[in-house]
mmCIF file of all heavy atoms in Angstrom:
data_model
loop_
_atom_site.group_PDB
_atom_site.id
_atom_site.type_symbol
_atom_site.label_atom_id
_atom_site.label_comp_id
_atom_site.label_asym_id
_atom_site.label_seq_id
_atom_site.Cartn_x
_atom_site.Cartn_y
_atom_site.Cartn_z
ATOM 1 N N ASP A 460 -75.554 61.798 -83.423
ATOM 2 C CA ASP A 460 -75.820 63.163 -82.882
ATOM 3 C C ASP A 460 -75.149 63.306 -81.578
ATOM 4 O O ASP A 460 -75.324 62.605 -80.565
ATOM 5 C CB ASP A 460 -77.377 63.340 -82.777
ATOM 6 C CG ASP A 460 -77.693 64.786 -82.619
ATOM 7 O OD1 ASP A 460 -76.753 65.593 -82.471
ATOM 8 O OD2 ASP A 460 -78.845 65.142 -82.584
ATOM 9 N N SER A 461 -74.235 64.352 -81.529
ATOM 10 C CA SER A 461 -73.495 64.604 -80.298
ATOM 11 C C SER A 461 -74.134 65.553 -79.344
ATOM 12 O O SER A 461 -73.655 65.755 -78.278
ATOM 13 C CB SER A 461 -72.053 65.148 -80.620
ATOM 14 O OG SER A 461 -72.193 66.357 -81.307
ATOM 15 N N PHE A 462 -75.380 66.097 -79.740
ATOM 16 C CA PHE A 462 -76.016 67.018 -78.880
ATOM 17 C C PHE A 462 -77.276 66.403 -78.382
ATOM 18 O O PHE A 462 -78.162 66.041 -79.126
ATOM 19 C CB PHE A 462 -76.402 68.315 -79.779
ATOM 20 C CG PHE A 462 -76.610 69.498 -78.886
ATOM 21 C CD1 PHE A 462 -75.581 70.169 -78.395
ATOM 22 C CD2 PHE A 462 -77.903 70.036 -78.731
ATOM 23 C CE1 PHE A 462 -75.747 71.284 -77.668
ATOM 24 C CE2 PHE A 462 -78.121 71.084 -78.006
ATOM 25 C CZ PHE A 462 -76.972 71.835 -77.445
ATOM 26 N N PRO A 463 -77.411 66.073 -77.090
ATOM 27 C CA PRO A 463 -78.531 65.252 -76.529
ATOM 28 C C PRO A 463 -79.888 65.995 -76.747
ATOM 29 O O PRO A 463 -79.943 67.214 -76.820
ATOM 30 C CB PRO A 463 -78.236 65.092 -75.053
ATOM 31 C CG PRO A 463 -76.738 65.352 -74.958
ATOM 32 C CD PRO A 463 -76.376 66.335 -76.014
ATOM 33 N N LEU A 464 -80.995 65.230 -76.813
ATOM 34 C CA LEU A 464 -82.250 65.714 -77.079
ATOM 35 C C LEU A 464 -82.758 66.632 -75.940
ATOM 36 O O LEU A 464 -83.341 67.726 -76.208
ATOM 37 C CB LEU A 464 -83.260 64.541 -77.298
ATOM 38 C CG LEU A 464 -84.721 64.969 -77.569
ATOM 39 C CD1 LEU A 464 -84.922 65.821 -78.831
ATOM 40 C CD2 LEU A 464 -85.558 63.728 -77.601
ATOM 41 N N GLN A 465 -82.502 66.231 -74.760
ATOM 42 C CA GLN A 465 -83.046 67.028 -73.600
ATOM 43 C C GLN A 465 -82.359 68.393 -73.554
ATOM 44 O O GLN A 465 -83.005 69.394 -73.208
ATOM 45 C CB GLN A 465 -82.727 66.274 -72.225
ATOM 46 C CG GLN A 465 -83.493 65.013 -72.089
ATOM 47 C CD GLN A 465 -84.993 65.158 -71.950
ATOM 48 O OE1 GLN A 465 -85.411 66.285 -71.568
ATOM 49 N NE2 GLN A 465 -85.810 64.157 -72.242
ATOM 50 N N GLN A 466 -81.026 68.436 -73.904
ATOM 51 C CA GLN A 466 -80.378 69.757 -73.917
ATOM 52 C C GLN A 466 -80.865 70.597 -75.009
ATOM 53 O O GLN A 466 -81.035 71.841 -74.903
ATOM 54 C CB GLN A 466 -78.835 69.552 -74.062
ATOM 55 C CG GLN A 466 -78.224 68.877 -72.940
ATOM 56 C CD GLN A 466 -76.686 68.715 -73.096
ATOM 57 O OE1 GLN A 466 -76.062 69.421 -73.889
ATOM 58 N NE2 GLN A 466 -76.120 67.822 -72.334
ATOM 59 N N LYS A 467 -81.296 69.994 -76.210
ATOM 60 C CA LYS A 467 -81.886 70.813 -77.287
ATOM 61 C C LYS A 467 -83.226 71.367 -76.803
ATOM 62 O O LYS A 467 -83.490 72.559 -77.106
ATOM 63 C CB LYS A 467 -82.094 69.859 -78.508
ATOM 64 C CG LYS A 467 -80.849 69.375 -79.155
ATOM 65 C CD LYS A 467 -81.225 68.522 -80.345
ATOM 66 C CE LYS A 467 -80.005 67.804 -80.926
ATOM 67 N NZ LYS A 467 -80.349 66.855 -81.974
ATOM 68 N N ILE A 468 -84.007 70.572 -76.162
ATOM 69 C CA ILE A 468 -85.385 71.076 -75.765
ATOM 70 C C ILE A 468 -85.189 72.200 -74.654
ATOM 71 O O ILE A 468 -85.913 73.188 -74.745
ATOM 72 C CB ILE A 468 -86.204 69.952 -75.155
ATOM 73 C CG1 ILE A 468 -86.415 68.885 -76.196
ATOM 74 C CG2 ILE A 468 -87.479 70.478 -74.615
ATOM 75 C CD1 ILE A 468 -87.112 67.635 -75.712
ATOM 76 N N LEU A 469 -84.204 72.109 -73.863
ATOM 77 C CA LEU A 469 -83.906 73.082 -72.844
ATOM 78 C C LEU A 469 -83.509 74.384 -73.440
ATOM 79 O O LEU A 469 -83.940 75.486 -73.077
ATOM 80 C CB LEU A 469 -82.900 72.588 -71.810
ATOM 81 C CG LEU A 469 -82.677 73.451 -70.500
ATOM 82 C CD1 LEU A 469 -83.979 73.481 -69.784
ATOM 83 C CD2 LEU A 469 -81.541 72.977 -69.795
ATOM 84 N N VAL A 470 -82.628 74.394 -74.496
ATOM 85 C CA VAL A 470 -82.180 75.500 -75.173
ATOM 86 C C VAL A 470 -83.413 76.229 -75.905
ATOM 87 O O VAL A 470 -83.569 77.433 -75.918
ATOM 88 C CB VAL A 470 -81.101 75.220 -76.185
ATOM 89 C CG1 VAL A 470 -80.735 76.389 -77.067
ATOM 90 C CG2 VAL A 470 -79.793 74.765 -75.413
ATOM 91 N N CYS A 471 -84.195 75.297 -76.513
ATOM 92 C CA CYS A 471 -85.421 75.899 -77.221
ATOM 93 C C CYS A 471 -86.354 76.566 -76.274
ATOM 94 O O CYS A 471 -86.948 77.557 -76.564
ATOM 95 C CB CYS A 471 -86.057 74.814 -78.007
ATOM 96 S SG CYS A 471 -85.229 74.158 -79.401
ATOM 97 N N SER A 472 -86.554 75.885 -75.103
ATOM 98 C CA SER A 472 -87.403 76.481 -74.155
ATOM 99 C C SER A 472 -86.949 77.856 -73.642
ATOM 100 O O SER A 472 -87.669 78.812 -73.457
ATOM 101 C CB SER A 472 -87.628 75.550 -72.905
ATOM 102 O OG SER A 472 -88.051 74.386 -73.377
ATOM 103 N N LEU A 473 -85.527 78.015 -73.328
ATOM 104 C CA LEU A 473 -84.980 79.286 -72.997
ATOM 105 C C LEU A 473 -85.158 80.289 -74.141
ATOM 106 O O LEU A 473 -85.386 81.442 -73.834
ATOM 107 C CB LEU A 473 -83.494 79.087 -72.647
ATOM 108 C CG LEU A 473 -82.792 80.300 -72.260
ATOM 109 C CD1 LEU A 473 -83.361 80.921 -71.015
ATOM 110 C CD2 LEU A 473 -81.289 79.959 -71.986
#
Side-chain angles (χ1 to χ4, degrees):
D460 194 354
S461 62
F462 205 73
L464 177 63
Q465 295 292 339
Q466 294 184 18
K467 293 178 188 176
I468 297 175
L469 190 63
V470 172
C471 291
S472 304
L473 179 58

